[in-house]
Amino acid sequence: MNRVRWMRAKFPGSIRQIGKQLQKARFTADSGEGFVVDRIRDEYVEARYFERIAFQQSVSDPFGNTFVVERLDFRAVDFTLTKSFPELELRMAPRGLRGFTSGLLKASGFSMELEQHNVKLSKWISAIERELATKISIRAAVTSGIELQKGTKARIAVTGPADIRTGLAELVPNHPFELETVEIDFPFGKSSHKVVLTSDSGLRYSAKTPEEVISAIRAAFESTGATKK
């Protein structure tokens, strides 16, 4: 499944200036970490961050003998940086972003501010409906913040063959809740498509999802504004 995630990034100067800073912090065989800048424009920078990771792995043969093997891996982050919301788009990013964020801060001379961005999923879904001019069904959801009694909160997952919002409302009547993750289903062209949205500004979709759909979801996200976590 393809993955996209957006973050907030504020930095002084122009896009071309930050692009040149990333070029100076380029990945080399000696450094083991750094950036490969693919494209610099007035409006955006497209680049990749690479981090070389060496580790040991234990393997056993059929006789029970254990061997330690030296392994080498390269962690990569493909990203686009702009001046407008959402400033930082990460594609197929690994779970751990510490090396990438540290490298980005260092390359900017520690003048950049990076923040996780949380989005209200109900607002994002409504914006997608407007962009695609279609009706969306929520087929699965993970919710949190359901207060059962004073000091006791629940987190639940709900799935169904049709839109689960009515069933969810009946399950927790008069209890506010937050959507953490949703799987949405909607028609586009002659097909039906499913994507997953997460409240930490994430999107997961199959390789068969049309680019027009991804562009519409991205535009819908941008329209949700710049509400910070």
Side-chain angles (χ1 to χ4, degrees):
M1 222 175 192
N2 293 326
R3 303 187 309 276
V4 179
R5 183 184 169 195
W6 290 278
M7 294 180 65
R8 302 304 313 274
K10 294 184 178 180
F11 52 93
S14 68
I15 285 292
R16 289 192 177 275
Q17 287 174 330
I18 192 68
K20 290 179 180 179
Q21 290 175 306
L22 296 180
Q23 286 178 323
K24 291 179 181 178
R26 66 184 182 277
F27 176 86
T28 65
D30 292 332
S31 68
E33 61 180 3
F35 299 89
V36 175
V37 177
D38 298 310
R39 191 173 290 105
I40 301 177
R41 298 291 184 268
D42 290 338
E43 297 81 15
Y44 64 89
V45 172
E46 289 183 353
R48 290 165 291 158
Y49 173 81
F50 292 96
E51 181 181 8
R52 184 175 60 218
I53 301 173
F55 60 97
Q56 294 181 333
Q57 183 178 14
S58 297
V59 295
S60 299
D61 66 13
F63 304 104
N65 299 310
T66 300
F67 303 88
V68 176
V69 181
E70 298 289 336
R71 297 289 190 186
L72 191 63
D73 193 16
F74 290 88
R75 185 171 294 174
V77 180
D78 184 7
F79 67 97
T80 298
L81 188 64
T82 71
K83 275 285 191 177
S84 58
F85 174 85
E87 296 89 354
L88 183 58
E89 177 178 292
L90 311 176
R91 294 176 291 276
M92 301 301 289
R95 286 177 180 247
L97 293 173
R98 181 175 297 179
F100 165 70
T101 55
S102 296
L104 202 56
L105 292 173
K106 184 177 179 180
S108 70
F110 298 97
S111 63
M112 183 178 291
E113 297 179 15
L114 296 173
E115 294 181 54
Q116 176 179 304
H117 178 75
N118 277 15
V119 61
K120 193 173 182 64
L121 290 182
S122 58
K123 187 176 181 180
W124 193 1
I125 291 170
S126 296
I128 295 172
E129 287 181 322
R130 290 193 297 270
E131 287 288 335
L132 293 174
T134 189
K135 185 66 176 176
I136 286 176
S137 293
I138 300 180
R139 296 302 178 89
V142 175
T143 66
S144 63
I146 303 170
E147 188 168 343
L148 303 179
Q149 59 184 22
K150 190 174 182 179
T152 304
K153 293 187 177 182
R155 181 174 181 267
I156 62 173
V158 182
T159 62
D163 197 309
I164 55 92
R165 278 175 281 197
T166 300
L168 183 59
E170 293 176 352
L171 182 63
V172 287
N174 304 318
H175 291 282
F177 59 86
E178 293 293 332
L179 292 171
E180 284 188 3
T181 305
V182 294
E183 180 185 79
I184 61 175
D185 188 349
F186 53 88
F188 181 80
K190 298 181 179 179
S191 303
S192 178
H193 299 277
K194 291 182 180 180
V195 302
V196 175
L197 310 176
T198 59
S199 60
D200 62 351
S201 304
L203 165 67
R204 301 198 298 271
Y205 60 95
S206 77
K208 296 181 180 180
T209 307
E211 181 56 40
E212 298 95 323
V213 169
I214 304 307
S215 296
I217 294 174
R218 183 182 288 107
F221 179 78
E222 292 172 358
S223 73
T224 63
T227 302
K228 296 182 180 178
K229 180 180 179 182

